[in-house]
Amino acid sequence: MKRILLIVGGGIAAYKACEVIRLLKKRGHAVRCVLTEGGSHFITPMTLAALSEEHVHTSLWDLKDEAEMGHIQLSREADLVVVVPATADLLARMAGGQANDLATTVLLATDKPVLAAPAMNVRMWRHAATKRNVARLRADGITVLEPDEGAMACGEYGPGRLPEPAVIVEAIDSALSRASLETIGKLAGRHAIVTAGPTHEPIDPVRYIANRSSGRQGFAVAAALAALGTRVTLVAGPVDLPTPAGVDRIDVESACEMAAAVTAALPAHIAVMVAAVADWRVEAVTQKVKKVGAPPALTLIENPDILAIVAKSPQRPALLVGFAAETENVVANAVAKRTRKDADWIVANDVSAGVFGADANHVRLVTANGVEEWPAAAKSDIAVLLADRIAAALEPS
Ligand code: CTP
C-alpha cells in the first residue's frame, strides 16, 4: 500500500481523476486529494471524498484543515504527488515555483517525486510558453506525461487530451516502484527497442496459431525504460494493452512482421526482446480451409529468430537482452540460450507456474558473470529493476 496525494486541477478532464482514484484504490493504494479552485468548477469535493474515502483539501486558508494537517505535512506524508489534470496554468505556476494556492504550495513544499498528467487545448499544449514550462519541469526532475492525441472537448483535434486513466495508473506504479529517483534521466538520448506480446501466425484468413503471452511484462519494460528518459520503440504483437506514456508503439501480428519492424527500428543502444515469438508458421496460407473430408495437415516452417537477427546485425545494440520462457531446467537452458543466441543478458522465467497473464513474475538474470535470482515481484517492479540495471550497464565509466 502506498500513499498518493492527488492534485486535481481545473480542466474538463478533472472528471477522469475519479477513474484514476478508483483504479488506485483497487490496487490497494491510499489516495488523498487536493482540489484546486478551478477544479471545483468541474467536480465537487464530495465526489473526491466519496471515492477516496478521505477528507478533501481545498484551501490554504482553512483554519480547521491547517490545524489537523498543515500543508507541509500534507506534502510530506505521501509517497508520490500526482497532478491530474495538469492544466497549462498549473504547469506554468509549478514551473515558476509559485505558491499562491494550496496545490502549488504543496508542490513546492514536497520532498517526494511528482508526476503530472497534462490536459489542455492543442494550441495551449503547443504554445512556446507551455513547451518551455514542461521542459523546465522535466529538467527539475518532475515526470510530465505526454498527453494523448485525439478529439478534444473544445471541438479541436490534436495532442492535449489527458492520457487514459489506466496509463496514468501504470505510470504511477512505475514511479512508485522506482527504488531511487537518481536513475531518472540516466538514459536520456538513448534509443531502446522492446518487443512484447505473442505473435499470431495465420493458418488461413480466419484462423491463427497463438500463445498465452499477455504482453504485460514487455509493456512494463517499455514503460520503465521510457521513465528513465530513453526513446522507446515498442514492437507489440496482438495484445489489448494501453500504450505506456512516452512510448512509440508499432503493432504487428506475425513473427515476420515483428522481425521487419524491429530491423527497421534499428539502430538502437538497447534491445529487450520480451515477445513470445512463435517459432513456426504455416507454410502455405491460402483461402479458408473448408471442413470437408479428413482434417487438414498443417506444414510448419521456421520463423525468423528476431533476437538472433539483431545479434548478428552490423547495427547490433550495445546491450541485447533476451527473455527465456522455460518450463524445466530453467537455469541451464537460460545459460545455454544466452550463448547460443549471442545475447548479453537473458531474463529467465519459469512459465510452468502460470506466469502468462499474471501480475507477478519470478525471474533470474543471466549475464556473463553468472546467474542472479531476483525475488518474486510485480511485473512492473521487475521492469523497473531491469531498466535500472540497463541504465547502470550503459553508464559511461
Ligand atoms: N525470440 C525471437 N524470435 C524468435 C524466437 C524467440 O526474437 N523467433 C526471442 C524471444 O523474444 C526471447 C528469446 O528469443 O527474448 C528466447 O525465446 P524462447 O522462445 O525462450 O527461445 P527459443 O529460441 O524459441 O528456444 P526454445 O523455444 O527452444 O526454448
Side-chain angles (χ1 to χ4, degrees):
M1 194 273 282
K2 292 282 166 83
R3 283 160 309 174
I4 290 145
L5 182 68
L6 182 68
I7 295 175
V8 181
I12 180 65
Y15 77 93
K16 291 193 185 167
C18 299
E19 178 67 1
V20 172
I21 300 173
R22 210 182 59 76
L23 293 173
L24 289 172
K25 297 282 287 180
K26 221 167 120 187
R27 294 191 181 202
H29 300 312
V31 185
R32 190 184 283 276
C33 296
V34 168
L35 181 61
T36 65
E37 155 73 22
S40 69
H41 291 288
F42 293 94
I43 50 170
T44 69
M46 184 63 89
T47 320
L48 298 177
L51 289 168
S52 65
E53 299 171 286
E54 297 266 3
H55 175 70
V56 175
H57 301 255
T58 52
S59 169
L60 193 53
W61 311 116
D62 186 318
L63 271 182
K64 191 166 159 282
D65 271 11
E66 275 299 302
E68 278 169 13
M69 181 180 285
H71 57 274
I72 303 290
Q73 193 187 345
L74 197 57
S75 74
R76 303 280 163 82
E77 60 120 44
D79 296 299
L80 181 72
V81 182
V82 179
V83 189
V84 178
T87 58
D89 172 67
L90 198 43
L91 289 171
R93 287 189 290 136
M94 286 164 74
Q98 293 191 24
N100 49 9
D101 64 359
L102 181 62
T104 47
T105 304
V106 163
L107 284 159
L108 200 61
T110 192
D111 56 355
K112 297 295 162 37
V114 177
L115 184 149
M120 66 196 73
N121 167 274
V122 49
R123 284 176 210 285
M124 291 167 86
W125 175 251
R126 286 190 174 143
H127 196 284
T130 305
K131 283 190 185 158
R132 203 164 54 231
N133 292 330
V134 169
R136 174 77 262 158
L137 289 167
R138 286 181 174 153
D140 289 347
I142 289 174
T143 305
V144 183
L145 302 182
E146 283 297 315
D148 270 359
E149 194 164 326
M152 326 206 88
C154 54
E156 292 186 57
Y157 187 93
R161 284 166 56 100
L162 188 77
E164 285 305 318
V167 172
I168 296 174
V169 170
E170 281 297 326
I172 289 174
D173 265 349
S174 167
L176 283 172
S177 45
R178 187 156 302 288
S180 79
L181 280 175
E182 284 158 24
T183 36
I184 289 186
K186 281 236 169 107
L187 288 177
R190 311 269 191 171
H191 177 216
I193 300 173
V194 179
T195 67
T199 62
H200 285 179
E201 306 301 327
I203 295 171
D204 65 21
V206 293
R207 305 178 179 96
Y208 58 82
I209 301 172
N211 62 60
R212 293 186 189 279
S213 167
S214 67
R216 297 180 61 176
Q217 184 65 77
F219 274 57
V221 169
L225 285 169
L228 294 188
T230 185
R231 179 164 75 83
V232 178
T233 305
L234 171 63
V235 183
V239 291
D240 185 19
L241 290 174
T243 309
V247 165
D248 290 331
R249 171 174 178 176
I250 301 169
D251 284 314
V252 297
E253 293 272 331
S254 65
C256 290
E257 285 173 21
M258 189 175 273
V262 167
T263 323
L266 286 169
H269 304 91
I270 306 151
V272 189
M273 314 307 237
V274 197
V277 184
D279 289 321
W280 306 285
R281 68 178 181 277
V282 176
E283 185 174 28
V285 178
T286 51
Q287 294 306 311
K288 185 182 168 200
V289 181
K290 302 300 283 179
K291 197 174 61 178
V292 280
L298 299 178
T299 308
L300 300 180
I301 54 170
E302 204 170 320
N303 264 331
D305 188 323
I306 305 166
L307 181 63
I309 293 173
V310 173
K312 288 193 192 84
S313 160
Q315 296 179 305
R316 185 192 193 281
L319 191 65
L320 179 56
V321 185
F323 269 63
E326 305 290 349
T327 53
E328 55 183 359
N329 304 328
V330 179
V331 173
N333 280 341
V335 168
K337 207 167 266 184
R338 194 188 80 84
T339 328
R340 176 160 51 84
K341 295 215 172 197
D342 191 23
D344 297 299
W345 299 350
I346 289 280
V347 180
N349 55 358
D350 185 346
V351 291
S352 59
V355 163
F356 289 121
D359 268 336
N361 205 351
H362 188 179
V363 304
R364 293 175 179 89
L365 181 68
V366 182
T367 70
N369 298 329
V371 181
E372 281 172 37
E373 173 136 11
W374 287 6
K379 287 179 176 171
S380 55
D381 287 347
I382 288 175
V384 168
L385 280 176
L386 184 64
D388 283 350
R389 283 292 289 268
I390 291 173
L394 286 190
E395 245 183 302
S397 48

